[in-house]
Amino acid sequence: MELKLGKSIVQTLWMAWEKVFALGSHFRGAGTSHFGICSVMLKKHRGQAIICEDSTVIHDGEWVGELHLDNGSILKLIKSQGSDRAALRTARLLRQSMRQIHEAFESQSEFKQVKALLGITLLHRGLTHGLGFEQQALQPGIFRRMTTVYLRLLLSALHPEGMNRISQRTEKLVPMLLIHSRSSLKNRFSPGEKLPG
């Protein structure tokens, strides 16, 4: 009982922190749009150029869409359905969101200048299966270290097994950059395209 209460408190505090962080994020980008279980913040890429598999190059200063999952919704799914069923449900919702994002890229003026969709996650093996994301390792440095700590803390807060989950799979819980260039997003999610898996 005490463990469950403690877990609930940690989750509540984490969600409160994420709301504060989201408010602060408005100063980093040019606006955020919501697509089901995802949101996309428009911002300028900063740092080294990113070379995609289809030869798209994202240069410093070019516009990208930063992809974020709604962790509050995922937490509700975990609490109501358990972690395994929640993972399956989240994957389905993510596919729906990706189709909506593709439609926005094609039809909404604010997305016309966006070069690619980018996201960072620890769950690149299971959650993104069948969505066609290109995966690249983050460049070594302080950003990678901070991202690793942040995402591992997030997973421990959301997952029912908490830190046990982290300690059992530490070597696999490495953050990866997920990329969909404009053309790869179109190829994967255009109407009539069948999603594998």
Side-chain angles (χ1 to χ4, degrees):
M1 181 67 178
E2 289 181 358
L3 286 175
K4 288 185 177 180
L5 179 60
K7 187 75 170 177
S8 179
I9 292 172
V10 169
Q11 291 170 345
T12 300
L13 290 173
W14 190 274
M15 289 300 108
W17 153 248
E18 288 218 336
K19 288 180 180 179
V20 173
F21 181 79
L23 288 174
S25 294
H26 287 298
F27 297 101
R28 296 194 301 119
T32 300
S33 301
H34 298 276
F35 304 94
I37 201 168
C38 294
S39 62
V40 176
M41 183 175 70
L42 299 183
K43 57 175 289 189
K44 290 185 177 181
H45 171 62
R46 296 301 179 195
Q48 295 183 359
I50 299 173
I51 303 174
C52 305
E53 291 176 347
D54 64 1
S55 299
T56 296
V57 181
I58 307 165
H59 296 282
D60 182 83
E62 292 187 310
W63 287 95
V64 295
E66 189 175 88
L67 182 67
H68 296 274
L69 279 175
D70 182 348
N71 292 315
S73 295
I74 295 174
L75 180 58
K76 289 177 182 177
L77 286 172
I78 291 173
K79 287 182 175 180
S80 63
Q81 301 183 16
S83 59
D84 291 339
R85 292 185 64 186
L88 292 173
R89 178 64 176 157
T90 299
R92 293 191 192 101
L93 292 172
L94 184 53
R95 292 184 182 197
Q96 294 173 12
S97 295
M98 291 299 297
R99 287 197 181 279
Q100 295 172 20
I101 292 169
H102 159 67
E103 291 170 3
F105 266 60
E106 295 297 306
S107 63
Q108 296 182 20
S109 59
E110 61 265 36
F111 287 93
K112 294 294 184 183
Q113 60 189 336
V114 177
K115 199 80 174 280
L117 183 69
L118 306 178
I120 298 176
T121 182
L122 293 176
L123 305 176
H124 42 87
R125 288 171 175 82
L127 193 58
T128 60
H129 175 70
L131 296 180
F133 280 102
E134 175 186 344
Q135 299 178 16
Q136 292 189 15
L138 296 181
Q139 293 293 326
I142 188 169
F143 177 75
R144 175 172 161 174
R145 292 195 294 272
M146 291 176 62
T147 301
T148 301
V149 171
Y150 169 80
L151 291 177
R152 287 179 179 177
L153 286 173
L154 171 62
L155 184 59
S156 70
L158 295 183
H159 199 279
E161 296 176 20
M163 289 305 296
N164 288 335
R165 180 76 167 182
I166 302 297
S167 60
Q168 291 170 7
R169 305 183 62 188
T170 300
E171 74 285 352
K172 295 181 179 180
L173 294 176
V174 178
M176 297 289 287
L177 177 64
L178 305 180
I179 308 169
H180 255 310
S181 69
R182 228 192 147 80
S183 60
S184 70
L185 188 69
K186 183 175 182 177
N187 290 339
R188 175 65 60 156
F189 295 102
S190 291
E193 291 294 326
K194 189 179 189 305
L195 288 175

